[in-house]
Amino acid sequence: MTQTPPAAPAEVDVKPKGLAVLKVAFRERRTLAMLLLGFSAGLPFAMLIGTLNAWLTEEEIPVATIGILSWIGLFGAFRFLWSPAVSWTPPGIGKRFGRRRSWLLVLQVIIAVALGLVALSHPGAGVLGPLAMGAALGAFAFATQDIVIDAWRIEVADEKTPIDLLSTIYQLGYRTAALAGGAGSLLLSEVIGWPGVFLTAALLMGLGIVGTLIAPEPVPSSRTAIARERRGSPRLRLIVLVATLAAWAWAAFMLVRFMVTALTTSPAPSAGTFTGSWGPWIVGATVVLPAALAGLIVWKGRAATAAEASAAPKLADTLYDAILAPLVELMGRLGWGAVIVLGLILTYRITDGVWGPFAFPFYMGDTGGALGHTAAEVALASKTFGVIMTIVGIALGGWALLVIGRMWSLLLGAVLSAATNLLMMDLALGAPVIGGFMSATGLYGLFGAVGVGEPLARLMLAIAGENIAGGFAGAAFVAYLSALSNRTFGAVQFAVFISLALLIGTLGRGALGELIDAQGYAPMFMIAAWIGVIAIVFVLIEWVRLGFEARKIAREGTATV
């Protein structure tokens, strides 16, 4: 009698789930590296975009001169223009440290040197050359570092350290650096002076270097996998490449021309005005047009065969692989869903971005429903308490990502971001709701016990709600964008996503300024809340799309079994 062999034991799912991911993840060096790299990304931004202006203001540098330096923020907004460059490995140290870590080490050293140049300048004596050089060099370097960190995060994520967790840890490190580089720098400047503050920041970039050294180097994608996106005929690819390079050359010309004008004209033009006027056109020429052309390639052309993909690339194909292949892959993967994804990206964080430039006039002004607080009160409420609340929101967002999932977290973040605009609207109307709530709950007494008066207490409560919601939504949004990016093309794809999210907030600011002058601040917050409702709708549609895609993949998988 023939015995039936015993059945193979069923596979046990040992993947960590929910908060159990934390226990597994914090045994990993990737999480510590991510925290330090997040700090390395946030510190130079806080020092060069915000804290530097505080030093210049204290030295009584004219506002027009400070405006000249505002253009360095353009490096962050238009980082996607040079994001393909990080697909190549730096010569020399690349063989020892790998592509991603080599770039990080080079850029972190450049940032430290740039902060040192700023520290050695003497703005009070009118010596602004080293300061401007250091600020520009540092801004370009930290914008490029962001590209590499984003790519590293996408490439090293796996089931033990999922992208949601790494994105949250990155945000925590970034915001901690913002607190240290903002409120911490202001306090430290009273003790060691501003040069000492910037030298300290240069030394603190060593934490980023430590993070780079302990970070594992991702396994690079094969050239064959990248070349698979060489769809269509060589002639079609060449036409699309030339059109894209022409559009990018025009964008680079516009940026360089603005920077030269800013340095040679008095009064200097505003970077915010330039971004608002030309930003949408630049994005259209350098992102929307190439994406549309990439969609044409997907529609018209077949994927390269294995033999074609393994052939030695010509210069045109090398440029195509770096610049257009990421967009071709994205459009081929998303298809019609690209419209939904674009709508979500453009609306999700606009509730914060669209009224952000008006925050300090709202807090400190005395017309149109503005609150009339002092600079010291705003520094306490926004730059210290507000940043702490943002960190709380990020932590809650990370918890939600692990427990309820990415799309639930994204939806909740959109709802909170829209709703908390109503807190600011209530302040602009005299705080009838917030004031009544604080009286009924005894919060006025709690704030009073630490020396905070009622007007400032109302502002701090509103900022707490706004920043917790912003931190929560930010964690969910970065996790979503990271998951949306392909590991092979993460550097370019994520840079494009972030640039779109940053630039869209500039649209409509001029009209909002006119609205504030005519009707006060309250209508602006109502408009921001309604835009948030549009983001909620896009999240719901995207959720349906992802479910449809998951079911389609499941059916195809079943059909092949």
Side-chain angles (χ1 to χ4, degrees):
M1 179 172 161
T2 305
Q3 291 185 334
T4 302
E11 290 187 11
V12 180
D13 184 11
V14 295
K15 291 186 245 180
K17 297 179 180 178
L19 292 178
V21 173
L22 288 173
K23 185 183 295 185
V24 175
F26 280 101
R27 298 172 188 161
E28 280 266 355
R29 61 176 177 162
R30 284 175 290 183
T31 53
L32 177 57
M34 187 77 270
L35 184 67
L36 295 175
L37 291 176
F39 187 90
S40 176
L43 184 65
F45 180 86
M47 297 300 299
L48 296 174
I49 301 299
T51 301
L52 178 58
N53 290 341
W55 181 11
L56 297 177
T57 301
E58 191 174 289
E59 295 286 353
E60 299 182 351
I61 301 299
V63 174
T65 303
I66 296 176
I68 294 175
L69 293 173
S70 67
W71 59 262
I72 66 174
L74 295 175
F75 287 122
F78 296 103
R79 70 184 73 171
F80 66 90
L81 288 173
W82 61 90
S83 59
V86 303
S87 63
W88 289 288
T89 302
I93 64 172
K95 182 176 291 187
R96 178 173 180 181
F97 293 101
R99 178 178 55 172
R100 299 302 183 208
R101 296 202 306 159
S102 295
W103 272 113
L104 288 174
L105 287 173
V106 169
L107 292 166
Q108 285 158 354
V109 170
I110 292 174
I111 293 169
V113 170
L115 290 170
L117 281 174
V118 173
L120 295 176
S121 63
H122 301 282
V127 183
L128 295 177
L131 186 145
M133 183 185 301
L137 179 64
F140 177 80
F142 79 64
T144 310
Q145 180 192 224
D146 286 351
I147 297 170
V148 183
I149 291 175
D150 293 334
W152 179 86
R153 181 179 66 249
I154 292 166
E155 292 167 353
V156 301
D158 58 17
E159 292 169 349
K160 289 185 177 180
T161 51
I163 194 65
D164 296 344
L165 179 62
L166 288 175
S167 298
T168 301
I169 292 173
Y170 168 80
Q171 289 271 304
L172 286 172
Y174 194 99
R175 295 297 178 176
T176 302
L179 183 60
S185 293
L186 292 174
L187 293 174
L188 191 61
S189 68
E190 299 292 331
V191 181
I192 63 175
W194 286 111
V197 167
F198 277 85
L199 282 176
T200 301
L203 293 174
L204 285 176
M205 284 303 299
L207 293 175
I209 293 175
V210 172
T212 299
L213 293 176
I214 67 174
E217 174 66 20
V219 177
S221 300
S222 68
R223 286 292 174 189
T224 302
I226 297 173
R228 281 285 185 184
E229 300 306 324
R230 292 181 199 155
R231 298 169 181 257
S233 66
R235 182 172 179 268
L236 176 61
R237 293 200 303 269
L238 181 61
I239 292 172
V240 171
L241 178 63
V242 170
T244 300
L245 289 175
W248 284 32
W250 171 79
F253 167 76
M254 294 298 295
L255 289 172
V256 172
R257 188 179 71 168
F258 170 79
M259 293 176 182
V260 172
T261 303
L263 291 171
T264 58
T265 304
S266 182
S270 165
T273 301
F274 171 82
T275 306
S277 300
W278 289 103
W281 292 101
I282 292 176
V283 171
T286 56
V287 176
V288 179
L289 175 63
L293 294 174
L296 176 65
I297 289 177
V298 172
W299 178 46
K300 285 286 189 182
R302 61 170 177 80
T305 64
E308 292 169 339
S310 60
K314 303 184 289 286
L315 175 61
D317 283 337
T318 299
L319 292 174
Y320 177 93
D321 292 346
I323 297 171
L324 278 168
L327 296 176
V328 171
E329 189 280 332
L330 185 67
M331 298 301 294
R333 174 159 46 93
L334 294 180
W336 60 269
V339 177
I340 299 171
V341 169
L342 180 64
L344 194 158
I345 291 172
L346 294 182
T347 59
Y348 193 81
R349 298 312 308 276
I350 197 174
T351 52
D352 298 327
V354 75
W355 71 266
F358 304 107
F360 284 104
F362 173 59
Y363 297 153
M364 301 171 65
D366 55 9
T367 59
L371 307 179
H373 289 287
T374 66
E377 289 174 336
V378 173
L380 171 64
S382 179
K383 294 300 183 183
T384 305
F385 180 74
V387 174
I388 293 172
M389 291 300 101
T390 300
I391 292 173
V392 171
I394 292 169
L396 291 173
W399 172 84
L401 285 166
L402 295 177
V403 174
I404 65 176
R406 185 180 304 134
M407 292 310 296
W408 270 115
S409 300
L410 197 68
L411 178 62
L412 183 56
V415 171
L416 290 174
S417 293
T420 50
N421 279 281
L422 301 180
L423 292 175
M424 295 299 175
M425 186 182 74
D426 185 66
L427 285 182
L429 294 174
V433 177
I434 292 177
F437 172 78
M438 297 188 76
S439 295
T441 57
L443 284 175
Y444 275 141
L446 181 62
F447 277 97
V450 293
V452 176
E454 291 187 3
L456 183 57
R458 291 193 293 268
L459 176 63
M460 292 179 73
L461 182 67
I463 284 178
E466 176 77 19
N467 286 22
I468 289 173
F472 188 103
F477 191 52
V478 170
Y480 166 75
L481 294 183
S482 298
L484 191 64
S485 304
N486 182 285
R487 288 191 180 197
T488 302
F489 305 106
V492 175
Q493 290 178 355
F494 195 88
V496 167
F497 294 152
I498 288 296
S499 293
L500 287 173
L502 288 174
L503 287 169
I504 191 60
T506 64
L507 295 177
R509 284 180 183 167
L512 280 181
E514 295 175 1
L515 177 68
I516 292 169
D517 288 338
Q519 302 181 34
Y521 285 91
M524 177 187 68
F525 293 117
M526 177 57 73
I527 290 172
W530 277 113
I531 294 174
V533 173
I534 298 174
I536 294 171
V537 172
F538 272 115
V539 171
L540 292 172
I541 298 174
E542 171 68 352
W543 203 340
V544 172
R545 184 192 73 84
L546 290 174
F548 175 81
E549 291 295 326
R551 289 190 295 272
K552 179 181 177 182
I553 293 172
R555 287 196 302 269
E556 291 174 351
T558 303
T560 58
V561 174

